[in-house]
Amino acid sequence: MSQFDFDLFVIGAGSGGVRAARTAAGLGKKVAVAEGRFLGGTCVNIGCVPKKLFSYGSHFHEEFAQAAGFGWTVGGSSFDWPTLRDNKTKEIERLNGIYHNLLVNSGVELIEGYASFESAHEVSVAGKTYSAEKILIATGSSPFIPDFPGSEHAVSSDAIFYLDEFPKRSLVLGGGYIAVEFAGIFHGLGAQSHLVYRGEQPLRGFDEEVRQFASEEISKKGVQFHMNANIDSIEKQSTGLKVTLTTGEILEVDLVLCATGRVPKTDGLNLDKAGVDLGKGGEILVNEEFQTSSASVFALGDVINRMQLTPVALAEAMVFVNNQFQPELPAKTMDYSNIPTAVFCHPNIATVGMTEEEARAAFDKVEIYSASFRPMKHTLSGSDERHLMKLVVDANSRKVVGAHMVGTDAGEVLQGIAVAIKAGATKEVFDSTVGIHPTGAEEFVTMRTLTRN
Ligand code: NDP
């Protein structure tokens, strides 16, 4: 009989927490999860899932316009925000139910409320104390809003999913994933859309050619770019929000979204009682085993601030469970290389592996194969949208070390390419792969002419 109430106590029922809890419970461990808000965490409730539903919704106006070239006469169309918002909410509630069943059916005890540490082996939730041999912190992150006069009039992505009214004029501050995605969503759903970013062009860290190409495509669609600018102040007026930029430009909008990063969520955890150390950015410091400075306490997902992505949290959870609860199996480490991601802006961006700039820094000789073209659909649709596909090759090993795409369903295309890159495929393997015709994706196996080296 264990001296503890549980083998594993998980704090937070988001992507990483739920995966760790139910996998450990499936191995026969006694597991509890404490959650004070909603099951499924940011991804399911106020992140990836509802954002993708909104993103689908925001493409229709283009489709209606493009249908004419294919012989369709589409009647008048209008957009009703409450319908999209509430249908989305119903779907999220359905997913919350699924998460509940996944946990309960795998034998996890669900404890409602926020947990805080009493010691390295004890947490209290709603006045009751529970002990556990191991405690996993999977509390995620929360949006950060910079401090400037009137910042209280701005909202974060948390609020965007439940707005009472859809804005006619929107402004998004930031140049990361959330900013470019929501600038496209607002525009696609019919709002005037301004994107304000402090740098030269959005998506810092992405391949430079991709950034340039995507910026052109996004602004071609009608998102108004205000680069090298920040918000100086926001004043609430009777006609809307008066936003003064650091460039002196003044914009009047109905909604300001600050998409300026997310910070690890550790407030209220009483980490000092467990001896858990934080890094400079407020992230929980962990070793390769996801073990904190306190031997019985572990952390993973956004709260450790390595890569704030759901599939990364899931993979970290699998490594954690393998190493802590399956001693019969070889120990694993999390491989953070070649993690593919997609940005659901319009058109989508997807990427895996190295950017051209990273490859040039890492290898003596690099070959770049890059193609931009008008997709076949747009030969009739009337749209001037263009797509970009790009392979980055280490010329010595011949390995394809990076693949990038800007175009429709880029994430769907790049997932398979990511498998090839993970497996170490060379450019010759790509070249010897037969294309699927006619698709845009076949470009990845037909780019024979070197663009530059
Ligand atoms: P990001 O870290 O991607 O981007 C934050 C942006 O805000 C950057 O452009 C940054 O500028 C800017 N910024 C930061 N501080 C300030 C400030 N004080 N004033 C003005 N601008 C500022 O964060 P997001 O909020 O977009 O997203 C959070 C995380 O969520 C991402 O890192 C991503 O991992 C994840 N995510 C993933 C998605 C996906 O996979 N499709 C979708 C949405 C989110 P600078 O570049 O100069 O630092």
Side-chain angles (χ1 to χ4, degrees):
M1 188 67 192
S2 163
Q3 62 182 107
F4 300 108
D5 298 334
F6 296 100
D7 298 314
L8 174 66
F9 194 102
V10 181
I11 307 177
S15 306
V18 168
R19 175 61 66 89
R22 66 189 185 93
T23 314
L27 295 169
K29 301 297 163 191
K30 199 166 177 228
V31 183
V33 176
E35 173 57 60
R37 204 173 175 194
F38 31 48
L39 298 179
T42 302
C43 172
V44 168
N45 294 277
I46 45 171
C48 325
V49 175
K51 180 276 310 289
K52 186 85 190 272
L53 294 174
F54 286 1
S55 176
Y56 282 128
S58 65
H59 279 284
F60 282 100
H61 84 291
E62 278 187 341
E63 299 275 326
F64 298 145
Q66 293 169 6
F70 295 88
W72 288 93
T73 302
V74 179
S77 60
S78 62
F79 170 65
D80 183 52
W81 165 249
T83 303
L84 174 61
R85 182 196 58 203
D86 299 346
N87 284 348
K88 171 275 300 174
T89 302
K90 271 186 231 144
E91 171 56 12
I92 300 309
E93 284 165 0
R94 189 184 72 87
L95 294 176
N96 293 147
I98 289 176
Y99 267 70
H100 180 269
N101 292 343
L102 278 175
L103 283 169
V104 171
N105 294 343
S106 57
V108 174
E109 185 174 327
L110 198 52
I111 299 168
E112 236 175 88
Y114 290 100
S116 64
F117 280 91
E118 296 296 337
S119 72
H121 284 285
E122 287 168 308
V123 292
S124 65
V125 186
K128 205 170 162 204
T129 300
Y130 304 87
S131 65
E133 187 183 353
K134 291 173 185 173
I135 299 174
L136 176 67
I137 306 169
T139 44
S141 59
S142 12
F144 155 76
I145 296 189
D147 195 19
F148 51 78
S151 61
E152 68 278 12
H153 302 305
V155 298
S156 73
S157 57
D158 281 4
I160 256 357
F161 298 99
Y162 292 92
L163 293 176
D164 289 334
E165 268 182 57
F166 188 73
K168 287 192 173 58
R169 303 160 299 176
S170 67
L171 184 154
V172 183
L173 176 67
Y177 284 81
I178 299 180
V180 294
E181 288 181 343
F182 270 97
I185 288 170
F186 286 133
H187 175 261
L189 295 178
Q192 193 186 84
S193 174
H194 297 276
L195 181 67
V196 176
Y197 175 52
R198 63 185 178 183
E200 203 67 45
Q201 56 190 1
L203 297 169
R204 187 166 59 79
F206 281 70
D207 183 276
E208 288 298 325
E209 191 179 4
V210 166
R211 292 176 78 189
Q212 175 73 34
F213 189 90
S215 297
E216 283 165 16
E217 289 301 310
I218 295 168
S219 48
K220 234 161 71 181
K221 288 197 184 286
V223 173
Q224 296 176 41
F225 274 40
H226 307 265
M227 299 295 106
N228 300 310
N230 212 328
I231 296 183
D232 193 50
S233 65
I234 304 179
E235 273 173 64
K236 198 175 165 77
Q237 300 189 325
S238 59
T239 49
L241 300 173
K242 178 182 164 199
V243 185
T244 306
L245 303 186
T246 47
T247 52
E249 192 178 359
I250 294 175
L251 299 166
E252 194 180 87
V253 295
D254 307 305
L255 178 118
V256 175
L257 165 65
C258 282
T260 35
R262 299 181 61 87
V263 288
K265 204 159 148 185
T266 55
D267 41 307
L269 284 174
N270 271 336
L271 291 176
D272 45 334
K273 287 199 183 171
V276 172
D277 291 343
L278 296 180
K280 285 198 186 97
E283 76 281 10
I284 295 182
L285 297 173
V286 291
N287 62 17
E288 283 210 327
E289 302 288 330
F290 300 105
Q291 187 177 38
T292 68
S293 49
S294 175
S296 59
V297 182
F298 298 77
L300 51 80
D302 281 9
V303 79
I304 63 169
N305 208 10
R306 289 194 177 161
M307 288 182 100
Q308 296 175 332
L309 297 168
T310 280
V312 171
L314 298 179
E316 289 172 345
M318 296 310 282
V319 170
F320 164 74
V321 171
N322 180 87
N323 293 358
Q324 298 306 317
F325 298 111
Q326 293 177 287
E328 70 283 8
L329 297 181
K332 287 186 181 164
T333 50
M334 176 71 196
D335 178 5
Y336 291 96
S337 66
N338 292 323
I339 290 174
T341 68
V343 190
F344 296 96
C345 49
H346 298 182
N348 293 176
I349 300 172
T351 179
V352 58
M354 291 181 169
T355 64
E356 179 174 342
E357 295 71 36
E358 286 166 345
R360 288 197 187 285
F363 306 112
D364 302 342
K365 281 198 239 153
V366 172
E367 289 179 4
I368 303 296
Y369 297 84
S370 164
S372 76
F373 54 93
R374 180 159 71 145
M376 187 196 261
K377 181 179 173 192
H378 298 320
T379 57
L380 296 196
S381 74
S383 165
D384 62 356
E385 181 177 302
R386 292 181 69 79
H387 291 179
L388 172 76
M389 278 159 184
K390 175 167 180 177
L391 290 177
V392 181
V393 179
D394 166 19
N396 289 324
S397 70
R398 305 298 307 146
K399 280 186 183 166
V400 176
V401 293
H404 309 272
M405 174 172 169
V406 183
T408 307
D409 290 332
E412 307 289 345
V413 176
L414 261 274
Q415 183 67 82
I417 303 282
V419 176
I421 290 186
K422 190 96 185 156
T426 60
K427 179 67 171 60
E428 286 61 40
V429 170
F430 275 69
D431 291 347
S432 66
T433 302
V434 174
I436 302 175
H437 187 70
T439 61
E442 67 180 317
E443 201 67 31
F444 275 120
V445 296
T446 55
M447 286 192 283
R448 294 278 160 21
T449 316
L450 187 65
T451 308
R452 57 186 171 273
N453 54 16

